[in-house]
Amino acid sequence: MEGWTRAGLFTRGFGPAPRAGGPNVVLVHGLGLSGRYFVPLARRLAARGASVLVPDLPGNVRSRSAARRAPEVVELAGALRRWHRELALGPSLLVGNSVGCQVVAALAAREPALVERLVLLGPALEPGAAGLRQCGRLVADAPREPPGLLAVAASDYLVTGPFRFAASFRHALRDAAESFEVHLARVVAPTLVVRGSGDTIASRDWTRRVAGIVGDGRTAEVNGAAHAAHYSRPGAMAALIEQFTAGECA
C-alpha cells in the first residue's frame, strides 16, 4: 500500500499503477471517515488484478486541510472529479459507501464519461427520514459491526472533528432531500446497489428504490454483514464486484 496526495486529496493505492483503460476502482468513504475502512476490500480487489485508489475526501482525516469548512455533497463530487482528471484514470468503477453513495451519484450524474460502473453500498440517508431517526439507525448498526471497524471509525471521527461532522451531516441530509434522487435518475452507468443483510441504516425497500431510479440498476445482499459489508465481508464484496464487472449480476 502506498499513500500520496494529488489534487489536495490524500490517496491510498493498491495493486498495479492506475492507467487509462483500467481496470481502475475508486472507493469512496462515508460521513466523517477516511479510506482506512476500505483497506480489506481494496486488498482483495488488488489481488484480483485491479488498480484500486482510496482517497480521503476534502475536510476528512488526512485530507482535512483540503477544505476550510465541511463541503457540500456536490462540492465533494467536484473535488473527486478534479482528482480523477488529474490522475487521468479514464472511465472507472466507483464504489461508494453510506453518504459516499451520494457523492459518487452526484459525480456520475454530472460527469458520466468518468464512470464505467457504479456500486452503491448501503446508501445511508432516505429522503423524508428525520435526522434523529437516521442517527438512531446508525446507533443501532454499531453493535452489528466488527470491533475493529468501530475503533477505526472512532479515530477518524475524532480527527475530522465533531463540528465538521455535524455540518457534513446537515449537508448530507439536505442533499438526500433535494438532490440525491435527481442525481440517481441521471446515472447512465450500470449500477449495483448492495446492502448487508443486517444493515439497520439502508433498508431492503430503500435499496430497491435506489436501484429502480437509475436507468440500469440491480440489487444484491451480503449475508452476515451490516452497514459496512466491505469491512466485515470483504471477500464476499470483492466477489460481488467481480461478478458485476463481468456482467453476471442479474
Side-chain angles (χ1 to χ4, degrees):
M1 178 183 68
E2 298 181 6
W4 65 89
T5 298
R6 293 291 294 271
L9 303 187
F10 178 81
T11 304
R12 296 164 181 84
F14 302 82
R19 64 192 186 281
N24 299 316
V25 182
V26 179
L27 308 179
V28 180
H29 63 78
L31 190 70
L33 296 164
S34 73
R36 287 196 300 158
Y37 75 150
F38 266 121
V39 168
L41 175 61
R43 286 175 173 160
R44 281 162 176 80
L45 293 173
R48 295 168 185 255
S51 298
V52 186
L53 298 174
V54 192
D56 286 7
L57 294 175
N60 293 270
V61 192
R62 297 188 71 171
S63 297
R64 192 178 189 280
S65 62
R68 294 183 178 180
R69 55 174 178 77
E72 302 269 359
V73 168
V74 293
E75 292 174 327
L76 294 173
L80 194 59
R81 179 189 67 232
R82 292 188 294 273
W83 170 88
H84 192 284
R85 287 182 166 174
E86 184 166 320
L87 289 170
L89 296 179
S92 303
L93 168 66
L94 267 63
V95 181
N97 171 241
S98 199
V99 171
C101 295
Q102 294 172 232
V103 177
V104 297
L107 177 62
R110 293 164 177 255
E111 298 287 346
L114 300 184
V115 183
E116 183 175 19
R117 287 177 180 263
L118 199 61
V119 176
L120 304 178
L121 170 57
L125 302 181
E126 295 185 38
L132 286 176
R133 182 180 175 190
Q134 305 278 12
C135 288
R137 292 176 177 178
L138 177 62
V139 170
D141 183 77
R144 303 179 180 216
E145 303 289 2
L149 173 64
L150 300 181
V152 168
S155 174
D156 285 352
Y157 290 150
L158 285 173
V159 176
T160 296
F163 296 108
R164 286 199 182 201
F165 180 89
S168 295
F169 185 53
R170 291 194 298 271
H171 295 332
L173 284 172
R174 184 164 57 249
D175 179 82
E178 299 175 359
S179 304
F180 186 32
E181 291 181 297
V182 175
H183 292 150
L184 288 171
R186 294 173 57 190
V187 171
V188 296
T191 300
L192 178 66
V193 187
V194 185
R195 70 181 294 270
S197 60
D199 191 346
T200 64
I201 299 172
S203 69
R204 184 175 290 112
D205 287 345
W206 168 234
T207 54
R208 287 175 177 169
R209 177 176 162 187
V210 170
I213 294 172
V214 300
D216 183 6
R218 64 223 70 182
T219 62
E221 281 196 356
V222 179
N223 291 328
H227 191 55
H230 58 285
Y231 188 94
S232 60
R233 298 292 307 280
M237 270 303 304
L240 260 181
I241 291 171
E242 186 174 63
Q243 293 166 13
F244 176 50
T245 56
E248 297 174 4
C249 286

